[in-house]
Amino acid sequence: MADTSTSGGERADILDLLHKHRELFLVTVRGLTDDQARQRPTVSELTLGGLVKHVSRTEQSWTRFIVAGPPEGPEIDWARIDWSNPPPEVREFQDSFRVLEDETLAGLLAEYDAVAAATDALVREVDLDSSQPLPKAPWHEPGSRWTARRVFLHIAVETAQHAGHADIIRESIDGQKSMG
């Protein structure tokens, strides 16, 4: 049975890392309206609401990977996509960065909270040394595997990276900075 204590040790460190990066990320959307969450004040296509949605879905997909391995699905040749008419799985990926008409920032934040709680529960339960083969992709070395531990660290890194994107977007909207 896995150690489920969080009073110290590796699991507590992983949870602390995840919590700190999530909090820094969420600072960027505090007090925003739905309209502000959809704004694109920079040359990027990214919006704050879209980043919340993307970070949430990415975290959820990586925790599914820990439990079930790489997803089944069509291989996508990203270099040959007709961007004027992308296939459905590419449109779905693009929509993971967008706040759709029927979505609200509050709803996206509630979804993110639920995903974070599920991830935290998995950190407490899973064998951190269990591993899965990475999906075939040009950015993964063929035949490589990641442990659950490595995936949790990757989730923290992804969250931190997108917190930086979000900080720039928020500062462009109203001057608010996460730090400094």
Side-chain angles (χ1 to χ4, degrees), residues 10 17 20 27 37 41 56 69 77 84 96 111 120 157-158 177:
E10 184 175 22
L17 181 71
K20 284 183 179 169
V27 163
S56 176
D77 185 349
S84 65
S96 80
E111 181 181 332
D120 291 354
V157 167
E158 281 267 334
K177 299 176 187 177

Side-chain angles (χ1 to χ4, degrees), residues 126-179:
V126 74
D127 175 358
L128 295 174
D129 291 321
S130 65
S131 71
Q132 297 283 1
L134 287 169
K136 184 178 178 183
W139 49 85
H140 295 151
E141 188 168 324
S144 57
R145 299 176 70 87
W146 277 4
T147 64
R149 174 186 299 101
R150 176 65 180 86
V151 173
F152 291 130
L153 297 176
H154 181 71
I155 291 168
V157 167
E158 281 267 334
T159 304
Q161 177 181 6
H162 290 307
H165 297 141
D167 198 40
I168 290 168
I169 295 169
R170 179 62 188 259
E171 189 174 353
S172 298
I173 290 172
D174 64 5
Q176 177 182 301
K177 299 176 187 177
S178 297
M179 302 175 84

Side-chain angles (χ1 to χ4, degrees), residues 61-72 131-135 145:
S61 121
W62 277 113
T63 56
R64 262 193 307 250
F65 169 83
I66 290 170
V67 174
E72 296 290 324
S131 71
Q132 297 283 1
L134 287 169
R145 299 176 70 87

Side-chain angles (χ1 to χ4, degrees), residues 16-17 36 41 64 80 91 100 112 138 175:
D16 183 58
L17 181 71
Q36 288 173 313
R64 262 193 307 250
R80 294 180 183 226
R91 278 195 304 278
L100 304 178
Y112 187 42

